Amino acid sequence: MSQTEKSRKILVTSALPYANGPIHLGHMVEYIQTDIWARFQRLRGNSCIYVCADDAHGTPIMLRAQQEEITPQELIDNMKVEHERDFSDFNVAFDNFHSTHSDENKHFSEQIYLAAKEKGNINTKVVKQAYDPEANMFLPDRFVKGDCPKCGTSDQYGDNCESCGATYSTTELKNPYSVVSGATPIEKDSEHYFFKVSDYADFLKNWVNGGAVQKEIANKMNEWLDGGLNDWDISRDAPYWGFKIPGTEDKYFYVWLDAPIGYIASFKNYCDRTGTDFDEYWKADSETELYHFIGKDIAYFHTLFWPAVLKSADFRLPTAVFCHGFLMVNGEKMSKSRGTFIQARAYLDHLPAEPLRYYYAAKLNNTVDDIDLNLQDFQQRINSDLVGKVVNIASRCAGFISKKFEGKLSDSLADEALYQQFTDASDSIAQAYEDRRYSKAMREIMALADLANQYVDEKQPWVLAKDEDRQQEVQDICSQGLNMFRAIMVFLKPVLPELAEKSETFLNAGELQWNSVSSPLFGTEINKFKALMTRIEEDKVNAMLEANKEQLAIAAALQAKTGGNKKVSDSQLGQDPISPTIEYDDFAKIDLRVVKILKAEHVKGADKLLQLTLDLGDEQRNVFAGIKSAYKPEELEGKMTVMVANLAPRKMRFGLSEGMVLAAGPGGEELYVLNPDEGAEVGMRIK
């Protein structure tokens, strides 16, 4: 930043991680993307505050706490420790990481609600609500699944479709089922509170199309705006883990109301700790900048509901909302069965954080396109770019400076024109960072690394070092190389803060700033070179995958054995829940039998079920199994599997189901019926 440029005041946020499950590598795309941008802004001399929080409310947290026989407070406290540890180990530097279950969030949730109510933006009406007749509870949106009423995609949540992005009520789902018990929900009347988003339709139309969101997101939001906005249900019935709505006894704020308010609450907590002026950042006419980094799957909430709520309560609006795509692994959706649903801790236990930060940066741009973590390419790119190119420059030059010149650099550059190319690249790389076109920035930086290595290759200081009359040339060449290395590390510092810190220690010339590139080192003394980064070995990647797969398999097996009829998925609970412990005598009551699938056929009118005829040896059973998304009937016939033989028959609208076949997996196409080892016989009891 030049002396004439005014320092900017920026507040950035990432979407709040849900506080009932571990962080995985898909989550890390967003936090690494945001952290790089925040670090870049600080490196340029701007004030950039990065806040986040755990999203700590909702029925999933309440139910998981019950399963673990702890309180919701204990659960979210434990998860906050785990989340902060994982983020810290990935070098994600929040200025404040808070929780939505906080005094600040309660205060602002009530303030925003009461402001909306005062303006007439809140109304109440009796609605038909999904109710689980077996669990005896109203079902929140995410605990009802079924077919999207808009596009027909199966296995979608009760509030919005991940396929087409449509929003709707739980009662609009086709073929719904409760993820708590598996029962078909019934409808019961309940009074609910609604935010009248339609009051802000014109405002939202202007805001969405005014440059605050990416073009592809604006196009999608315009579809909803043109179709007319429905009032937004912001209440949930007891029992619910969250904040009670003022003036009610059994109504709670929907988690999607108080979750984004967590941005405000976390910043207020930061202000109280540091003495920062809260109003300067959140008043309606604020001149500071506010940016939200989010996944494209929650764009609807952040670009329609959230701006309307802020406008209603007279808070400032986001300067922009930046959406990113999903993470694929080896070209496919993250999969538990393939072991590629990789948890952050499983990765960190086997591999260093910074290579992944660089790999994500090399893939990320400012669109909502998905990015792919190809593990073979990951290994090769890190070894080639960071070890083979960047670190190699320093390792090739440092030894000569330390051994022959007492660690002292030359007093001038050997090739000023070459170094000028590094200086000239500064603005282009900075603009790429600013625009979140990280992949472009990485390409330009690696092109500079190639230039530096080519220079050293051509000059061959190892040859010149043998000639006593050419020692000054050796010092000049290696000093030039180290100055080019230093410039590259300035450009990479937002992505690789740990490597940059090691390089600062090695170069012994203070902290790297963006304008350090324009001031090369002359006559300074460097420290002895130590390895800055090591290669990624294939066995480390494989060990990480195996350890991760093991953890996932154990969780899936436990869920299959103890989960009963529950269909709770990972995306609801964050991880496969382990049911409360049972006594051996209880488990011994379960009669698990090896059976042969004699016949499998489609069930008319059912989108998820297959009808199986099972051979137990001395009898045959009819069982309806929710595995249609994973198997074609002909693939199952003749296959051996395992069933719960003494499960009480269950009357369904399609007929009587006389048992249960066991399957494991996260659901959808990733569901696998258990297959006994070769040699198992029909009717054999599993002990």
Side-chain angles (χ1 to χ4, degrees):
M1 177 180 294
S2 69
Q3 292 183 347
T4 57
E5 288 182 85
K6 183 180 178 182
S7 175
R8 296 155 63 187
K9 291 187 175 182
I10 304 168
L11 174 60
V12 297
T13 73
S14 296
L16 312 187
Y18 204 40
N20 73 333
I23 302 298
H24 57 68
L25 295 194
H27 293 132
M28 288 311 306
V29 171
E30 180 170 308
Y31 302 103
I32 289 173
Q33 182 190 38
T34 316
D35 183 72
I36 289 171
W37 200 79
R39 286 179 182 273
F40 163 73
Q41 296 297 344
R42 298 183 194 115
L43 195 61
R44 292 280 282 176
N46 295 317
S47 168
C48 187
I49 301 168
Y50 180 16
V51 302
C52 196
D54 264 341
D55 182 0
H57 287 156
T59 304
I61 286 173
M62 179 181 71
L63 292 181
R64 182 176 170 189
Q66 290 174 3
Q67 290 174 328
E68 296 190 8
E69 298 183 330
I70 59 176
T71 66
Q73 184 68 61
E74 288 175 303
L75 175 62
I76 64 175
D77 287 347
N78 293 340
M79 291 312 308
K80 188 169 186 287
V81 171
E82 288 189 29
H83 286 179
E84 289 190 275
R85 178 197 62 180
D86 290 348
F87 288 135
S88 176
D89 288 351
F90 264 112
N91 294 326
V92 175
F94 299 115
D95 291 288
N96 200 60
F97 190 84
H98 204 34
S99 170
T100 58
H101 192 66
S102 64
D103 292 338
E104 296 93 342
N105 209 42
K106 185 174 187 293
H107 166 77
F108 285 112
S109 295
E110 292 179 351
Q111 177 183 328
I112 286 171
Y113 166 76
L114 292 172
K117 187 176 181 182
E118 178 70 21
K119 286 189 175 181
N121 299 141
I122 303 293
N123 65 8
T124 61
K125 57 184 175 182
V126 175
V127 298
K128 291 190 180 297
Q129 195 78 356
Y131 187 85
D132 188 324
E134 293 185 14
N136 295 316
M137 63 179 289
F138 282 103
L139 292 168
D141 302 335
R142 293 260 153 167
F143 276 72
V144 183
K145 297 190 80 174
D147 302 342
C148 172
K150 307 289 186 183
C151 71
T153 302
S154 62
D155 215 32
Q156 296 303 302
Y157 296 119
D159 56 350
N160 74 294
C161 175
E162 292 183 332
S163 178
C164 74
T167 60
Y168 39 74
S169 67
T170 55
T171 55
E172 293 179 273
L173 277 176
K174 298 177 182 178
N175 303 311
Y177 65 87
S178 164
V179 300
V180 177
S181 70
T184 300
I186 62 174
E187 293 183 356
K188 289 185 72 171
D189 287 343
S190 178
E191 184 181 50
H192 274 234
Y193 291 72
F194 290 80
F195 180 83
K196 296 160 67 177
V197 189
S198 55
D199 288 352
Y200 293 89
D202 291 339
F203 153 74
L204 289 171
K205 188 77 172 177
N206 291 330
W207 186 80
V208 162
N209 293 289
V213 302
Q214 292 132 295
K215 185 177 180 180
E216 53 264 63
I217 298 296
N219 291 340
K220 188 64 178 177
M221 295 309 109
N222 280 324
E223 292 179 19
W224 307 127
L225 288 163
D226 293 341
L229 297 174
N230 296 323
D231 292 346
W232 181 34
D233 189 346
I234 61 167
S235 62
R236 292 298 180 266
D237 294 284
Y240 196 76
W241 172 245
F243 295 138
K244 193 175 289 185
I245 296 177
T248 72
E249 292 299 321
D250 61 351
K251 305 294 179 185
Y252 291 78
F253 286 126
Y254 175 37
V255 64
W256 262 112
L257 178 80
D258 69 55
I261 294 172
Y263 303 141
I264 302 175
S266 183
F267 183 70
K268 182 64 167 67
N269 182 262
Y270 170 83
C271 291
D272 291 343
R273 286 195 300 104
T274 62
T276 304
D277 186 349
F278 175 84
D279 289 336
E280 183 182 11
Y281 284 82
W282 281 101
K283 62 183 179 180
D285 59 349
S286 173
E287 295 183 1
T288 61
E289 301 170 49
L290 170 64
Y291 301 96
H292 298 310
F293 285 76
I294 63 165
K296 61 184 178 182
D297 56 325
I298 54 174
Y300 192 94
F301 295 101
H302 280 81
T303 61
L304 293 182
F305 295 142
W306 179 231
V309 166
L310 290 171
K311 183 74 171 176
S312 172
D314 296 321
F315 279 98
R316 61 93 39 81
L317 301 172
T319 308
V321 176
F322 299 141
C323 298
H324 61 81
F326 300 135
L327 178 70
M328 312 289 280
V329 177
N330 295 333
E332 298 178 311
K333 184 179 178 182
M334 291 174 66
S335 164
K336 290 197 170 180
S337 62
R338 290 187 293 271
T340 56
F341 195 95
I342 303 170
Q343 295 183 2
R345 185 48 48 184
Y347 175 93
L348 290 165
D349 284 345
H350 293 85
L351 294 165
E354 297 229 311
L356 190 69
R357 289 177 62 100
Y358 174 76
Y359 192 78
Y360 280 177
K363 295 276 187 170
L364 280 164
N365 55 37
N366 56 4
T367 73
V368 296
D369 293 340
D370 298 340
I371 68 170
D372 181 38
L373 169 58
N374 181 291
L375 292 170
Q376 185 177 15
D377 178 56
F378 163 70
Q379 178 192 352
Q380 293 172 348
R381 184 173 296 207
I382 297 307
N383 294 341
S384 171
D385 287 4
L386 298 186
V387 180
K389 293 182 181 179
V390 177
V391 172
N392 190 48
I393 302 167
S395 65
R396 298 172 85 186
C397 298
F400 294 108
I401 296 294
S402 295
K403 292 175 185 176
K404 290 182 169 290
F405 309 104
E406 298 181 338
K408 190 176 180 182
L409 300 177
S410 296
D411 293 328
S412 62
L413 290 171
D415 190 334
E416 291 185 1
L418 175 60
Y419 189 80
Q420 187 63 43
Q421 294 185 52
F422 287 70
T423 304
D424 292 344
S426 177
D427 288 344
S428 175
I429 293 171
Q431 193 61 53
Y433 272 122
E434 180 70 41
D435 296 339
R436 308 177 322 285
R437 299 173 67 189
Y438 300 162
S439 58
K440 180 177 185 294
M442 296 309 105
R443 287 194 301 273
E444 293 190 22
I445 294 168
M446 287 307 126
L448 294 175
D450 287 336
L451 284 177
N453 279 295
Q454 288 167 13
Y455 171 81
V456 177
D457 286 340
E458 290 170 1
K459 297 300 181 181
Q460 296 182 313
W462 52 90
V463 174
L464 300 179
K466 298 174 184 178
D467 187 342
E468 287 299 322
D469 295 331
R470 306 188 72 174
Q471 297 307 297
Q472 185 60 53
E473 289 181 63
V474 174
Q475 185 183 22
D476 292 346
I477 291 165
C478 292
S479 296
Q480 172 91 20
L482 289 176
N483 269 299
M484 291 187 290
F485 167 76
R486 177 172 174 263
I488 289 168
M489 285 315 307
V490 168
F491 297 145
L492 284 174
K493 189 174 181 179
V495 180
L496 305 172
E498 187 177 335
L499 181 60
E501 186 176 351
K502 290 179 181 178
S503 300
E504 288 166 348
T505 300
F506 157 61
L507 292 168
N508 194 35
E511 186 177 351
L512 295 172
Q513 299 294 340
W514 196 264
N515 59 10
S516 297
V517 178
S518 60
S519 303
L521 301 179
F522 296 138
T524 61
E525 188 175 321
I526 64 170
N527 288 318
K528 188 175 180 180
F529 180 82
K530 296 179 181 178
L532 299 174
M533 180 175 281
T534 57
R535 291 170 56 85
I536 299 293
E537 301 298 342
E538 187 177 1
D539 61 338
K540 295 288 187 182
V541 176
N542 292 336
M544 179 271 292
L545 284 174
E546 286 305 311
N548 189 69
K549 195 178 294 185
E550 233 175 78
Q551 295 173 13
L552 296 174
I554 291 169
L558 285 169
Q559 186 176 24
K561 186 177 287 186
T562 63
N565 283 328
K566 292 188 179 180
K567 297 188 181 75
V568 184
S569 72
D570 275 319
S571 48
Q572 289 139 9
L573 289 183
Q575 64 179 12
D576 292 328
I578 298 176
S579 299
T581 57
I582 61 174
E583 298 299 327
Y584 178 81
D585 289 344
D586 294 323
F587 179 74
K589 296 176 184 177
I590 303 174
D591 188 348
L592 299 177
R593 298 275 177 161
V594 176
V595 295
K596 185 176 183 179
I597 303 174
L598 298 177
K599 189 176 182 181
E601 52 191 328
H602 295 292
V603 180
K604 187 176 180 180
D607 292 334
K608 296 179 175 56
L609 297 178
L610 290 179
Q611 184 174 357
L612 307 179
T613 303
L614 305 177
D615 180 11
L616 279 73
D618 55 355
E619 65 174 306
Q620 294 181 8
R621 296 276 188 90
N622 178 73
V623 168
F624 292 99
I627 56 176
K628 183 176 179 179
S629 60
Y631 290 98
K632 296 177 181 178
E634 58 269 22
E635 295 174 341
L636 292 168
E637 292 182 356
K639 183 185 287 286
M640 304 281 274
T641 188
V642 178
M643 77 171 294
V644 180
N646 62 338
L647 186 68
R650 182 180 178 194
K651 188 175 182 180
M652 305 177 71
R653 62 189 177 100
F654 309 106
L656 190 68
S657 187
E658 302 171 304
M660 176 189 294
V661 294
L662 298 186
E669 295 180 2
E670 298 176 38
L671 197 61
Y672 305 91
V673 294
L674 300 195
N675 191 9
D677 289 340
E678 188 175 347
E681 297 179 358
V682 170
M684 182 181 289
R685 183 170 184 179
I686 298 175
K687 298 183 180 293

